[in-house]
Amino acid sequence: MTEHPLKDPVAENTWDVIVVGAGFAGLYMLHRLKQLDLRVLVIEAGSDVGGTWYWNRYPGARCDVESLSYSYSFDESLQQEWRWPDRYAVQPDILRYAQFVARRFSLYPHIVFDTRIVEACYTEPDHAWRISTDAGVHYVAGVCIMATGCLSVPKSPDIHGIDRFRGRLLHTANWPREALDFSRDHVGVIGTGSSAVQSIPILAEQSARLTVFQRTPNFSIPAWNGPLSEEQDRRCKDRYPVLRNRARNTFSGDFREEGGMKLLPASPAEREKALQHRWEQGGFHYQYGFTDAGYDTRANEIAAEFVRNKIRRTVADPEVAERLCPRDHPFGTKRLCVDTGYYETYNRANVELVDLKRTPVEAVTARGIVTTGMEYDLDTLVLATGFDAMTGALVRMNVRGRNHERLRDRWQGGASTYLGLMVANFPNLFMINGPGSPSVLCNMMLALEQHVEWISDCIEFMGQAGHRVIEASPDAERAWTDHVNRAADRTLYPRADSWYVGANVPGKARVFMPYVKGFKAYSEICDSVVEKGYEGFVFA
Ligand code: N01
């Protein structure tokens, strides 16, 4: 058997492939590459596996895709063995699952923890990636795979004086590992995105007093979470291969997706019935229930107003209810929140909602938050202020391609990729769930499995064909990026100032980053690219 051309004579710290990140994408990538008998090293900033589920330990952290779907499908015995206790898993259970997978497939010995990449540089003569870490260690690899996650760089708010606060300052995405006691605290939460919506009901129960500082209300749909019964578990596991196959043929990559209906042609009675039915299914079932709501403002407004009416019926104080009703963006154009008791929390006597649009924050002081109307003394301030999404981890890392071109400079005017997998002029650098792929718009587990399998098949093909280098052609990248943008422009998505378009990061170019046409359409395109001899890629 001939050696894979990526294989170098073994030198110290020289690897066939280096994978950055030991979240679910990095773990599966490692598993696949081990099967190809390549020398693989994974470098991870955290002290354990799990990625987003390692860092986001805030109270109430829970997946918003159902656990039986948000789990690996690549190994039948794994999916039969693992038992999810709840319909939507909590963070500790998801982290345990990641650890279980890492042990089961003997992945731990191949991972270096507590290590951040500070530079990754492609060198032309030897077609290698030279990777330096904050531990001062230098690695060389033929291929570098970024499994760095779409939501892995927490963003703090640009509020004057935040570093002066003398109480406990926490960020939901960087939560301490030890248990925290809030029972005597006045807790403030800045933000009302998914992290806030999940943590606020629990923090309200755990703290003496809770003040929520809201700039923009979001749409949230109840999860209707509960324990997963033996029968529900068995029913799914008996049909897992069929269900997983069904998931691969859906828009969202979730086998629970059911075909939606158009709201506009329906009669008022039909609409009401369908809206109520989807509401009772909960979470993303509501969003995917109405096919015209993503394109047509009139249909969208019907779905939006139904949710606003639910808020009005749930929240006792009509003025608070109106403040919680989103009006500045179409329904579903910002990531939908999926909650347990979120709106009900505002009926508690120890919870207050501050509308920052009416009374903006002036400063954070040593004691708390000063708005134009009030001063709030706080013991704990929780920043639920989101992430530099999709590109943040990649541009921070000082990634340099051919001729030392920096990825950060290349993406200055907005992220562009070929299929969300590669960038021209950055040979042998793959991304998992990169911008330009469906990623965050579908079940991330299935999305990452599809990318991992595409990349490992590609590396295997390179071995068989004797290729040492692959890169995206500039023309293919340009055409794909145009296609991604045009597809987004046909929807209502770009109308929201969301993290999907980078609007939450000052100075970030406004480009719609995920691919909106869904999992099935995207994976078929990836397959056809391979069938056409890796069309749009150049090998050497
Ligand atoms: O972050 P966000 P997140 N002053 O960006 C506010 C995933 N996730 O961590 O909209 C005042 O959504 C900001 O206000 P505004 C999921 O994909 C998944 O909650 O900019 N407020 C907003 O309300 C999600 O979408 C799960 O006006 C400020 C909030 O902070 C993504 O992660 C759970 C501010 C940020 O909301 C991000 O969610 C959790 C300022 N200066 C997260 N700056 C699952 O269930 C920001 N805000 C799997």
Side-chain angles (χ1 to χ4, degrees):
M1 202 174 92
T2 53
E3 280 286 87
H4 196 296
L6 287 172
K7 275 186 172 291
D8 263 328
V10 178
E12 203 187 349
N13 279 348
T14 297
W15 301 85
D16 301 324
V17 183
I18 283 184
V19 178
V20 185
F24 283 119
L27 290 180
Y28 184 36
M29 194 75 247
L30 169 59
H31 174 61
R32 288 288 293 220
L33 294 173
K34 274 177 65 194
Q35 290 175 326
L36 293 182
D37 201 25
L38 292 168
R39 296 184 68 241
V40 190
L41 181 73
V42 177
I43 301 176
E44 164 58 49
S47 306
D48 203 341
V49 298
T52 196
W53 301 107
Y54 171 84
W55 298 102
N56 287 264
R57 295 162 186 260
Y58 59 84
R62 199 179 271 286
C63 189
D64 55 7
V65 176
E66 294 185 44
S67 321
L68 286 165
S69 208
Y70 187 88
S71 46
Y72 286 123
S73 69
F74 69 83
D75 187 285
E76 172 61 7
S77 54
L78 169 67
Q79 66 184 3
Q80 291 297 333
E81 261 168 63
W82 185 261
R83 174 72 166 92
W84 294 105
D86 297 325
R87 189 175 166 202
Y88 293 91
V90 283
Q91 174 270 336
D93 284 337
I94 305 175
L95 184 57
R96 263 194 292 281
Y97 174 69
Q99 292 162 338
F100 172 77
V101 171
R103 280 194 304 274
R104 194 181 188 283
F105 294 100
S106 308
L107 303 178
Y108 274 110
H110 304 270
I111 308 172
V112 177
F113 291 104
D114 300 306
T115 304
R116 270 185 196 278
I117 310 288
V118 290
E119 186 172 72
C121 196
Y122 181 72
T123 48
E124 186 82 62
D126 55 353
H127 308 295
W129 279 91
R130 297 194 136 63
I131 291 166
S132 309
T133 73
D134 58 357
V137 181
H138 304 284
Y139 299 95
V140 179
V143 166
C144 179
I145 301 176
M146 295 296 184
T148 43
C150 293
L151 296 156
S152 49
V153 177
K155 202 192 133 282
S156 288
D158 312 306
I159 299 177
H160 177 67
I162 199 130
D163 43 349
R164 288 208 304 256
F165 182 61
R166 285 219 215 96
R168 185 163 46 184
L169 185 66
L170 301 167
H171 195 296
T172 45
N174 203 353
W175 201 263
R177 300 178 77 167
E178 66 274 12
L180 303 177
D181 179 6
F182 300 107
S183 56
R184 291 161 188 269
D185 284 13
H186 180 188
V187 176
V189 176
I190 300 183
T192 45
S194 298
S195 305
V197 163
Q198 288 188 333
S199 56
I200 283 167
I202 314 285
L203 288 170
E205 285 168 11
Q206 292 180 349
S207 63
R209 198 175 149 202
L210 180 75
T211 303
V212 178
F213 297 90
Q214 168 188 275
R215 191 162 64 183
T216 315
N218 273 300
F219 291 97
S220 187
I221 308 288
W224 309 121
N225 187 35
L228 204 60
S229 70
E230 282 301 327
E231 200 218 323
Q232 287 166 317
D233 183 64
R234 181 54 30 228
R235 227 185 303 136
C236 175
K237 286 180 174 169
D238 284 348
R239 303 177 55 228
Y240 240 149
V242 175
L243 295 176
R244 299 294 198 181
N245 196 39
R246 182 196 290 172
R248 291 184 194 101
N249 286 293
T250 62
F251 175 89
S252 64
D254 184 345
F255 56 75
R256 303 211 178 266
E257 183 185 308
E258 291 169 20
M261 64 172 273
K262 280 195 162 72
L263 280 169
L264 282 183
S267 69
E270 284 167 340
R271 279 177 199 164
E272 194 63 20
K273 190 168 165 223
L275 289 158
Q276 181 61 28
H277 171 65
R278 289 295 186 157
W279 176 266
E280 284 166 15
Q281 287 183 311
F284 283 95
H285 295 287
Y286 186 84
Q287 176 159 358
Y288 295 131
F290 312 108
T291 49
D292 47 357
Y295 298 87
D296 190 302
T297 46
R298 293 162 304 161
N300 189 284
E301 183 53 24
I302 294 168
E305 189 58 13
F306 186 87
V307 180
R308 290 188 206 110
N309 281 332
K310 291 288 184 189
I311 298 171
R312 291 177 187 120
R313 257 172 249 150
T314 308
V315 179
D317 181 332
E319 207 210 311
V320 175
E322 285 311 314
R323 270 188 254 153
L324 286 165
C325 285
R327 283 190 193 80
D328 81 324
H329 61 280
F331 171 79
T333 53
K334 282 185 163 187
R335 169 78 173 200
L336 191 66
C337 301
V338 180
D339 73 274
T340 298
Y342 176 63
Y343 294 115
E344 290 83 346
T345 301
Y346 293 94
N347 295 334
R348 293 176 63 104
N350 69 334
V351 175
E352 181 184 7
L353 179 68
V354 176
D355 182 352
L356 296 181
K357 287 253 162 78
R358 281 193 204 168
T359 55
V361 173
E362 288 192 329
V364 176
T365 66
R367 288 171 44 191
I369 290 187
V370 180
T371 67
T372 48
M374 278 282 280
E375 188 164 351
Y376 300 86
D377 281 356
L378 301 170
D379 304 293
T380 295
L381 177 56
V382 175
L383 306 177
T385 45
F387 302 87
D388 182 354
M390 305 204 67
T391 56
L394 294 163
V395 298
R396 277 186 164 211
M397 228 181 280
N398 199 14
V399 178
R400 289 169 183 271
R402 195 176 274 127
N403 304 321
H404 295 277
E405 184 184 18
R406 288 199 310 184
L407 190 59
R408 187 186 311 157
D409 297 335
R410 166 66 83 81
W411 283 356
Q412 191 70 33
S416 89
T417 67
Y418 181 38
L419 298 172
L421 283 164
M422 294 197 99
V423 180
N425 221 26
F426 291 77
N428 288 7
L429 180 81
F430 291 97
M431 291 169 288
I432 302 177
N433 289 329
S437 70
S439 62
V440 291
L441 295 184
C442 58
N443 175 5
M444 286 291 275
M445 277 294 201
L446 201 70
L448 71 87
E449 285 189 325
Q450 186 258 343
H451 262 194
V452 165
E453 286 161 18
W454 194 97
I455 293 168
S456 56
D457 288 350
C458 175
I459 290 175
E460 187 175 25
F461 163 77
M462 287 170 71
Q464 287 157 358
H467 298 311
R468 190 165 172 164
V469 182
I470 177 173
E471 68 180 297
S473 86
D475 286 346
E477 181 184 315
R478 218 172 292 119
W480 180 253
T481 304
D482 284 351
H483 172 66
V484 170
N485 290 330
R486 276 200 310 274
D489 287 342
R490 282 197 282 271
T491 71
L492 300 178
Y493 272 118
R495 299 199 187 186
D497 289 333
S498 64
W499 57 257
Y500 294 144
V501 295
N504 63 330
V505 178
K508 189 164 174 175
R510 192 179 176 109
V511 170
F512 194 84
M513 291 180 281
Y515 181 53
V516 295
K517 289 205 156 186
F519 180 85
K520 179 175 191 285
Y522 172 79
S523 57
E524 283 171 358
I525 292 169
C526 290
D527 291 347
S528 96
V529 161
V530 175
E531 276 159 26
K532 291 178 194 155
Y534 286 90
E535 186 181 45
F537 291 97
V538 183
F539 291 98

